[in-house]
Amino acid sequence: MVYVVGIIGFFIGFFAGQLLLLKLLKGRSNEEVLSDPYINWTYGILNWIFAGMGAYSFVFLYQYYFGA
């Protein structure tokens, strides 16, 4: 069950990262986002960090409340 909770947390974290990127990259064009490697690496890694934090927090909360 911990794996299921971790996967759900990963997807929710990834979705939260996408919503954050939507806000942060609102004023930039598609050309600028696709061609600038700094934007690509910075915001790409930011989204994966959110996904990892989501998975970690969901597993932590699952273990805290259910003691698995």
Side-chain angles (χ1 to χ4, degrees):
M1 189 64 186
V2 174
Y3 293 113
V4 173
V5 171
I7 291 171
I8 291 170
F10 183 82
F11 283 127
I12 290 175
F14 196 84
F15 181 71
Q18 288 292 311
L19 289 176
L20 179 68
L21 290 180
L22 183 67
K23 297 291 183 188
L24 292 176
L25 297 173
K26 188 170 185 144
R28 301 191 186 249
S29 68
N30 286 344
E31 282 288 322
E32 186 179 2
V33 172
L34 292 175
S35 64
D36 190 1
Y38 174 76
I39 292 174
N40 204 356
W41 277 100
T42 304
Y43 292 114
I45 290 176
L46 180 69
N47 197 25
W48 287 106
I49 289 172
F50 264 80
M53 286 183 352
Y56 176 77
S57 63
F58 268 56
V59 169
F60 176 78
L61 289 174
Y62 176 76
Q63 289 177 346
Y64 180 76
Y65 285 114
F66 297 111

